[in-house]
Amino acid sequence: AQDLGMLAAAGVTAVPVHARPRVAIVSTGDEVVAPETPELLAGQVRDASSVALGAIVAEAGGAADQRGIVRDDPDALRAALGAALSDSDVVVVSAGSSVGARDETATVVAGLGEPGIWCHGLALRPGKPTLLADCDGVPVIGLPGNPRSALVVFRLVGVPLVRRVGGCTHAPPEPVVRARLERDLASAAGRLDIVQVRVRDGVATPLFGASALLSILTAADGYLEVPEPATGLDADSEVWVTLYR
Amino acid sequence: AQDLGMLAAAGVTAVPVHARPRVAIVSTGDEVVAPETPELLAGQVRDASSVALGAIVAEAGGAADQRGIVRDDPDALRAALGAALSDSDVVVVSAGSSVGARDETATVVAGLGEPGIWCHGLALRPGKPTLLADCDGVPVIGLPGNPRSALVVFRLVGVPLVRRVGGCTHAPPEPVVRARLERDLASAAGRLDIVQVRVRDGVATPLFGASALLSILTAADGYLEVPEPATGLDADSEVWVTLYR
């Protein structure tokens, strides 16, 4: 705000700015149906990730382009991603949740452009089956199929990428709070763990549940990181919690 | 973002929300001219506050309504504020900087509605000559004429008010950082001091200068508060710095 004031004081009423990066969001999976679907058949699930990812894209300064749901079929996926690549600055795919569907996504992405896949799998929990690729200069992020993992990975990997593509060299500060960990947290060394917590009166209580449960995210005040080398954190240790807004 | 995901998963694609509060921004002062003015005459100053206040209003969830610059004349001010009150949820006035102009603003605001003026003057630096009023249910904030004071006061008093009027009962968390104060800070007991600081490697360096200098705000990483009862803060004490985004 003060920068705008300073510009106005100097009589500068127009400044060149970076265009918002266009971020295509593609959902995949035969089981995934639009949120508008009133009744679900057995095995169907509404697309929760796309709208949530769109909100995070907007927070990161990007313009989300919802490209809808693509069925588990290599040709359909190739056509959808090819079209998305041609008019986007970043492409995000919520990959199908089955291992087979994930492999299929990787095969399709590998054939979309050069140099192709950077990595398939991150030392991160949740978020291990993340795919990162560069298709002729356009970054492609393949997210885990379950919504909670997808949102965790996208905040960690996608937000800095969208900001960078949008010309933002200094990330704005995140709200954090110092808290005392309520209980021991186990973790495997060599993997970054993201743990959702509630914070009450300076005490951080970890929330656990199936990785697909969005309710853990909505109940959390924020998250803490168990660093890669650590095998866990002891109860009563001091931790930094990054707060959800 | 996760809340939107949760709603989508449940098939809820429309929710009732609170309307954005309409916040009228009125500048006053014969010396104040529009930012577009290419050449200034002696004694003129471009309106830096309005555009900066508009940006803070947007951050707080409001819709800024720029009502332009009104000359130092009670009838003109009465007409402008009356019109603003009739179609706004909050009215913000950047009052003229002279004592005479401030008194004039207070007189006009006092006659606009009931119960009228709450207070004229806050135990706050910068920001002492702040006017708060309730004109038939519409809150009116009269800000100091100099842009730096106006922005400090509006962040402290205006933002919570705009959020409240907009139906926000829990303020989103602010980014803060713990730092070590580089030097002694003097303050008068019985007054809250807002001090802009730069933060480098965990050390907070206070920035000083004339209260009108917007450059202090643009150079600062954030601000710290010297609490009302304190007569100052010692060098090397630990402080919380609220970061500007």
Side-chain angles (χ1 to χ4, degrees):
Chain A
Q2 42 260 43
D3 296 329
L4 288 175
M6 195 78 166
L7 290 167
V12 179
T13 57
V15 284
V17 296
H18 202 290
R20 286 186 185 278
R22 296 157 302 170
V23 181
I25 298 172
V26 180
S27 276
T28 69
D30 289 336
E31 78 284 13
V32 181
V33 297
E36 293 79 9
T37 312
E39 300 281 339
L40 299 182
L41 303 177
Q44 285 188 333
V45 60
R46 294 191 186 92
D47 181 8
S49 297
S50 292
V51 65
L53 291 170
I56 301 179
V57 164
E59 271 176 39
D65 176 18
Q66 300 287 359
R67 316 277 303 198
I69 302 161
V70 183
R71 65 182 193 283
D72 281 328
D73 170 76
D75 291 333
L77 189 57
R78 194 173 297 115
L81 292 184
L85 277 168
S86 70
D87 58 0
S88 305
D89 299 306
V90 177
V91 173
V92 181
V93 194
S94 289
S97 47
S98 72
V99 175
R102 285 207 303 265
D103 292 346
E104 211 163 72
T105 305
T107 308
V108 169
V109 170
L112 283 173
E114 293 302 320
I117 291 176
W118 284 331
C119 72
H120 193 183
L122 291 179
L124 175 66
R125 188 176 81 166
K128 185 165 174 284
T130 298
L131 177 81
L132 299 174
D134 173 359
C135 297
D136 297 329
V138 178
V140 177
I141 309 178
L143 295 174
N146 86 63
R148 180 160 77 109
S149 304
L151 298 191
V152 165
V153 172
F154 194 69
R155 269 189 225 275
L156 240 65
V157 179
V159 165
L161 187 64
V162 170
R163 286 198 183 121
R164 184 70 167 264
V165 170
C168 172
T169 50
H170 288 73
E174 295 284 340
V176 291
V177 77
R178 196 88 176 145
R180 194 169 52 75
L181 189 59
E182 192 198 40
R183 40 160 291 175
D184 291 340
L185 266 182
S187 172
R191 182 187 74 195
L192 178 70
D193 275 33
I194 302 295
V195 179
Q196 274 76 37
V197 296
R198 269 198 111 114
V199 182
R200 291 289 177 276
D201 302 322
V203 177
T205 307
L207 304 175
F208 297 107
S211 68
L213 280 182
L214 261 184
S215 57
I216 300 223
L217 275 181
T218 58
D221 295 307
Y223 65 88
L224 59 84
E225 303 185 1
V226 185
E228 243 182 276
T231 54
L233 292 174
D234 293 330
D236 286 329
S237 48
E238 292 276 306
V239 290
W240 284 108
V241 177
T242 302
L243 298 169
Y244 294 128
R245 283 182 244 231
Chain B
Q2 41 261 44
D3 297 329
L4 288 175
M6 194 79 165
L7 289 167
V12 179
T13 56
V15 285
V17 296
H18 202 291
R20 287 187 184 277
R22 296 158 303 169
V23 181
I25 298 173
V26 180
S27 275
T28 69
D30 290 336
E31 76 283 13
V32 181
V33 297
E36 293 80 8
T37 311
E39 300 282 338
L40 299 182
L41 303 177
Q44 286 188 332
V45 60
R46 293 191 186 91
D47 182 7
S49 296
S50 291
V51 65
L53 292 169
I56 301 178
V57 165
E59 270 175 41
D65 175 18
Q66 301 286 359
R67 317 278 301 199
I69 302 160
V70 183
R71 64 184 195 282
D72 281 328
D73 169 78
D75 291 334
L77 189 58
R78 194 174 297 114
L81 292 183
L85 278 168
S86 69
D87 57 0
S88 305
D89 300 306
V90 177
V91 173
V92 180
V93 194
S94 288
S97 47
S98 72
V99 175
R102 285 208 303 264
D103 291 347
E104 210 162 74
T105 305
T107 308
V108 169
V109 170
L112 284 173
E114 293 302 321
I117 291 176
W118 284 333
C119 71
H120 192 182
L122 291 180
L124 174 67
R125 189 178 78 166
K128 187 166 174 284
T130 299
L131 177 80
L132 299 173
D134 174 356
C135 297
D136 297 328
V138 178
V140 177
I141 308 178
L143 294 174
N146 86 64
R148 180 159 78 108
S149 304
L151 298 190
V152 165
V153 171
F154 193 69
R155 269 189 224 276
L156 238 65
V157 179
V159 165
L161 187 65
V162 171
R163 286 198 183 121
R164 184 70 167 266
V165 170
C168 172
T169 51
H170 288 74
E174 295 284 341
V176 291
V177 76
R178 196 86 174 144
R180 193 169 53 75
L181 189 59
E182 192 199 39
R183 40 158 292 173
D184 291 341
L185 267 182
S187 171
R191 181 187 72 195
L192 179 69
D193 276 32
I194 302 294
V195 180
Q196 275 76 38
V197 295
R198 270 199 110 114
V199 183
R200 292 290 178 276
D201 302 322
V203 177
T205 306
L207 304 174
F208 296 106
S211 67
L213 280 182
L214 262 183
S215 57
I216 301 230
L217 276 181
T218 57
D221 295 307
Y223 64 87
L224 58 84
E225 303 186 1
V226 186
E228 243 180 276
T231 54
L233 292 175
D234 293 330
D236 285 329
S237 46
E238 292 276 306
V239 292
W240 284 109
V241 176
T242 304
L243 298 169
Y244 294 127
R245 282 181 244 231

